Amino acid sequence: DTGVSQNPRHKITKRGQNVTFRCDPISEHNRLYWYRQTLGQGPEFLTYFQNEAQLEKSRLLSDRFSAERPKGSFSTLEIQRTEQGDSAMYLCASSSPWPPLPREDQFFGPGTRLTVL
Amino acid sequence: DAKTTQPNSMESNEEEPVHLPCNHSTISGTDYIHWYRQLPSQGPEYVIHGLTSNVNNRMASLAIAEDRKSSTLILHRATLRDAAVYYCILRDLEGNAGNMLTFGGGTRLMVKP
């Protein structure tokens, strides 16, 4: 399977603990996105990388959230001092800008479901 | 950002066509209309996109109104596997703001056997 993979698929943690999620994009894709989705809502954009550079961050990305993509391949999303409101599905997507625009589909992974007790 | 309005839910019978509407009255000239869908327990997947002309692909057809203020995603023969939430999204791909997807609530499509 050469799609986007995310690990772990599920994470249960206690309030106040730190958690880290990993996303492996499609290998030739240089753009990587993180989204968060709560129950019954559409996904919300968190942040975006082009290669290793983090180019955009949403207001939703509080100081407790940090994302990295050190070598322009896989990415990690860390949440420090988790709160119950952080419970959600965290989705990763990747894309590659194909000429001509706007053929730039985003391919999503299956997500990591976080439950904060 | 230009917004889209979709019905919360729709129901269809299996093997019948389905027309999923989307209103986007504040669409700008550089906004492309994209549709994604999210099957249960999966991430969203791309369905189709267009700018002004109607578009067809193996998954669906996209009909765009002449004034571009609305569009309709057409599934020609709904199957049980098409039961999903369908999102209509505007993307301005001529600037950096087009890199993210801005999802609304989408339309939950239920398909009856």
Side-chain angles (χ1 to χ4, degrees):
Chain A
D1 189 344
T2 57
V4 178
S5 62
Q6 293 188 247
N7 289 289
R9 294 292 308 277
H10 303 273
K11 178 71 176 179
I12 299 174
T13 191
K14 293 183 179 179
R15 188 177 54 185
Q17 298 293 305
N18 299 342
V19 295
T20 300
F21 311 139
R22 176 176 170 129
C23 171
D24 287 89
I26 294 171
S27 59
E28 63 267 27
H29 285 182
N30 63 347
R31 295 182 176 179
L32 186 147
Y33 311 79
W34 285 98
Y35 293 83
R36 180 173 69 185
Q37 185 173 28
T38 54
L39 203 60
Q41 305 295 317
E44 297 172 293
F45 169 77
L46 291 178
T47 190
Y48 151 65
F49 290 85
Q50 180 158 308
N51 300 312
E52 65 275 11
Q54 189 173 16
L55 297 185
E56 285 185 69
K57 289 197 291 187
S58 162
R59 291 190 306 269
L60 296 174
L61 213 65
S62 76
D63 292 345
R64 296 184 297 105
F65 288 69
S66 63
E68 293 184 344
R69 194 181 184 200
K71 296 184 179 178
S73 57
F74 73 92
S75 175
T76 57
L77 177 68
E78 180 183 16
I79 309 174
Q80 296 182 324
R81 305 180 303 281
T82 53
E83 301 172 357
Q84 287 183 325
D86 297 331
S87 296
M89 176 76 81
Y90 290 84
L91 292 160
C92 175
S94 69
S95 73
S96 179
W98 301 355
L101 289 174
R103 183 81 173 119
E104 188 188 335
D105 312 333
Q106 290 188 18
F107 294 83
F108 283 80
T112 294
R113 181 167 296 284
L114 172 66
T115 302
V116 181
L117 302 176
Chain B
D1 290 340
K3 295 188 187 299
T4 62
T5 304
Q6 299 177 253
N8 288 335
S9 64
M10 291 185 65
E11 206 169 77
S12 171
N13 294 317
E14 196 176 12
E15 298 188 5
E16 289 186 357
V18 181
H19 290 230
L20 297 164
C22 180
N23 286 321
H24 28 79
S25 58
T26 59
I27 191 170
S28 75
T30 54
D31 282 334
Y32 290 81
I33 302 159
H34 285 240
W35 284 80
Y36 278 72
R37 72 178 185 180
Q38 188 171 21
L39 302 171
S41 302
Q42 295 188 28
E45 64 176 351
Y46 167 84
V47 177
I48 200 166
H49 76 273
L51 181 62
T52 57
S53 303
N54 294 344
V55 185
N56 299 299
N57 67 18
R58 63 175 181 81
M59 289 180 71
S61 295
L62 176 59
I64 301 173
E66 195 168 335
D67 63 5
R68 301 210 324 125
K69 293 186 176 182
S70 66
S71 61
T72 302
L73 180 71
I74 302 166
L75 306 179
H76 296 286
R77 288 184 69 219
T79 69
L80 296 178
R81 293 179 60 185
D82 290 323
V85 179
Y86 287 79
Y87 297 99
C88 171
I89 299 167
L90 301 183
R91 300 185 72 192
D92 179 0
L93 288 176
E94 296 192 0
N96 287 333
N99 289 323
M100 72 186 75
L101 293 172
T102 302
F103 291 84
T107 297
R108 181 173 297 279
L109 175 66
M110 293 167 281
V111 180
K112 296 186 295 184

